[in-house]
Amino acid sequence: MQNTTIDKAGLLQELNNEKALLMTPVMVILGILMVIGIIGNAMVCFFYSCKSRQSSNTVFIVAVAVYDLILCALSIPIEIVDLRFFYIFTNSGACCFMRFVNYFGGIGSVCMLLVIAGDRYRKICMPFKKQLNVREAKMAGGISVIVSLAFSWPAFVFYRSVSVDVLTSNGEVLKGSDCTTVRADSYKVYLWIFNGVYLVCFLISSAVLCVMYCLVGRVLFKHNKSRKRFSSQPTSSTSNSSGTDANLMEIGNESSKSTDKNKYIVNDTTESKEDATKRISVFSDVSHKGSNSNEKSQNQLDLKTVKYTTMMLVITLVFIISFLPHLILSLWRAFQNKYEGETLTDAQLVAFQLGLRSYFLNSAINPFTYGFFNPKFRKFFFITFLPCCRKPSEGSTISSSSGAT
């Protein structure tokens, strides 16, 4: 009897080693994402918190990077251990903690992306309403932590090291252990509610993000089109500027006290008022030579706004796309009455395990997105890892960075 037990344990270990070898591509990919994510997100946190002027934008970026760093530094290593001990992962505490961190990081990222989308909508579509300041942005980050904890704690209930049946080549059934959802029938209804709530929240969040960024994109498109139209109009010489002053007085009589305010309205639905405001701006630039620098400054401000908005839009799209496989496969697993190791072929099991962890891709890609849209962060990265490229003046140049983009 003792020999039989020993033989079964040895056979289970052998099958586990075979499965771990099969999962090598998944473990290698996760290892690469872990290294890239830890280094990249740590640099994002340092650059935007220490090397950039503090603003609501930098607070948002650091908050998202912290959630990504938590996933890469805490969750991915345990995931790799789970794959290595595919059939003999017996540590329920590590299993619960890993799943909790996964949900905590993902939900926290969603919360921050929703706050960022709302901030973008308010700044671009309602520029004269009260905007979020640094203190309020930090409060939003704190609230995201509370929401994440509230939605993540069920992972401690539904995930643990579960006994699974492992079928050998000769038809013998062995008892293994895997970190997965509880298989007891009494939990099935709660698991459906658990997965259903996450799916509904994901769909609602994705819809809200899409609608907000569509509205923001529409306003930016109209603003860009309007600016091009008026900048392409031929301007008169300075001798004609006095002749237009009377027309300007008629147009600007009612809004003379609020010309500067109206000048930055980009989503005014009254087209004639917008045109009048633009004409006042154009003629003012002709009459006052010093206004060229102001116009240049405003164009640069518009460019920074567009670049930051585009950057956050890309991060949002990557997040949604990377989370879809995880949610779909999690729902599929909830449908199954059998352990996926029994029903899938080797190739399907590898694809399943990789897709189930697809959300880690978002955490590793985000630093590249920041670097693509922010040349100062890109320069900081290269100077850090390629000090030979450093020039005497570059250290002070980067440290004087004045914003998120």
Side-chain angles (χ1 to χ4, degrees):
M1 185 69 179
Q2 185 176 2
N3 291 335
T4 305
T5 304
I6 295 175
D7 290 339
K8 284 188 176 181
L11 183 57
L12 183 62
Q13 181 67 51
E14 183 180 342
L15 291 174
N16 178 80
N17 292 339
E18 291 177 0
K19 197 63 69 174
L21 184 63
L22 180 66
M23 293 295 138
T24 299
V26 183
M27 290 188 283
V28 170
I29 292 174
L30 288 178
I32 294 173
L33 294 180
M34 179 183 67
V35 173
I36 293 175
I38 291 175
I39 296 175
N41 287 295
M43 293 189 68
V44 169
C45 292
F46 178 74
F47 178 80
Y48 283 100
S49 60
C50 300
K51 296 288 186 179
S52 298
R53 180 178 59 83
Q54 196 173 52
S55 66
S56 60
N57 294 343
T58 58
V59 171
F60 292 145
I61 291 175
V62 170
V64 175
V66 167
Y67 284 119
D68 291 336
L69 186 59
I70 289 173
L71 286 173
C72 293
L74 298 181
S75 188
I76 293 183
I78 304 178
E79 291 280 2
I80 294 175
V81 172
D82 179 33
L83 290 169
R84 173 61 184 87
F85 300 100
F86 198 86
Y87 288 137
I88 53 176
F89 191 91
T90 57
N91 194 328
S92 290
C95 174
C96 294
F97 177 75
M98 173 179 64
R99 301 309 181 195
F100 168 78
V101 172
N102 291 350
Y103 284 110
F104 178 79
I107 294 168
S109 296
V110 171
C111 291
M112 290 312 304
L113 291 177
L114 287 170
V115 172
I116 291 169
D119 176 70
R120 290 294 88 200
Y121 174 80
R122 197 169 185 83
K123 282 186 177 178
I124 294 175
C125 300
M126 297 185 293
F128 304 114
K129 299 288 186 180
K130 186 181 182 300
Q131 306 297 328
L132 289 178
N133 54 35
V134 174
R135 179 175 173 274
E136 291 168 338
K138 291 180 178 179
M139 288 179 60
I143 293 173
S144 73
V145 172
I146 296 174
V147 173
S148 299
L149 291 173
F151 277 87
S152 302
W153 69 263
F156 287 109
V157 177
F158 295 124
Y159 285 93
R160 64 188 62 172
S161 180
V162 176
S163 177
V164 294
D165 293 332
V166 181
L167 188 64
T168 63
S169 56
N170 59 6
E172 187 178 359
V173 177
L174 303 177
K175 288 296 181 180
S177 301
D178 185 36
C179 176
T180 185
T181 53
V182 179
R183 298 297 180 180
D185 292 336
S186 58
Y187 281 86
K188 192 173 290 291
V189 175
Y190 300 106
L191 279 170
W192 272 106
I193 296 174
F194 177 70
N195 288 298
V197 168
Y198 277 116
L199 178 63
V200 170
C201 290
F202 175 79
L203 293 176
I204 292 175
S205 300
S206 300
V208 170
L209 290 169
C210 290
V211 170
M212 282 190 173
Y213 278 111
C214 284
L215 293 174
V216 168
R218 176 175 172 270
V219 170
L220 289 177
F221 176 78
K222 288 177 63 178
H223 175 52
N224 187 53
K225 185 177 179 181
S226 176
R227 188 173 59 180
K228 285 182 178 180
R229 183 170 69 248
F230 284 100
S231 63
S232 64
Q233 289 182 352
T235 57
S236 304
S237 62
T238 54
S239 60
N240 293 331
S241 62
S242 59
T244 60
D245 284 344
N247 294 333
L248 286 174
M249 289 296 292
E250 290 180 13
I251 296 173
N253 249 348
E254 293 183 3
S255 58
S256 58
K257 295 182 180 179
S258 57
T259 299
D260 285 340
K261 182 177 179 181
N262 291 336
K263 179 179 178 181
Y264 300 99
I265 293 180
V266 297
N267 62 329
D268 198 331
T269 55
T270 307
E271 192 68 26
S272 59
K273 183 178 178 181
E274 181 185 4
D275 292 348
T277 303
K278 290 290 183 179
R279 284 196 294 273
I280 291 173
S281 176
V282 170
F283 284 121
S284 296
D285 288 343
V286 173
S287 302
H288 307 290
K289 295 181 180 180
S291 65
N292 290 334
S293 60
N294 293 333
E295 181 185 1
K296 183 179 180 181
S297 175
Q298 180 60 31
N299 287 339
Q300 289 175 345
L301 180 63
D302 290 342
L303 180 60
K304 286 184 178 181
T305 301
V306 173
K307 283 179 67 176
Y308 177 77
T309 304
T310 305
M311 180 177 72
M312 301 317 299
L313 172 60
V314 171
I315 289 174
T316 301
L317 291 176
V318 171
F319 178 85
I320 293 174
I321 293 172
S322 65
F323 248 83
L324 274 176
H326 167 75
L327 287 175
I328 292 172
L329 291 175
S330 295
L331 285 174
W332 176 84
R333 183 168 62 179
F335 269 109
Q336 302 298 309
N337 293 323
K338 291 186 176 181
Y339 175 56
E340 56 268 10
E342 303 176 30
T343 58
L344 300 177
T345 64
D346 287 347
Q348 290 173 340
L349 189 60
V350 171
F352 174 81
Q353 294 295 332
L354 188 60
L356 203 60
R357 297 162 174 85
S358 60
Y359 51 88
F360 289 125
L361 185 64
N362 167 75
S363 300
I365 285 180
N366 281 347
F368 290 97
T369 307
Y370 300 131
F372 180 81
F373 285 97
N374 190 347
K376 292 179 180 177
F377 176 71
R378 194 161 58 245
K379 182 186 291 186
F380 171 72
F381 177 85
F382 283 115
I383 287 177
T384 302
F385 288 97
L386 298 173
C388 59
C389 298
R390 184 195 298 267
K391 295 180 181 179
S393 60
E394 281 184 343
S396 59
T397 301
I398 293 179
S399 62
S400 64
S401 176
S402 60
T405 55

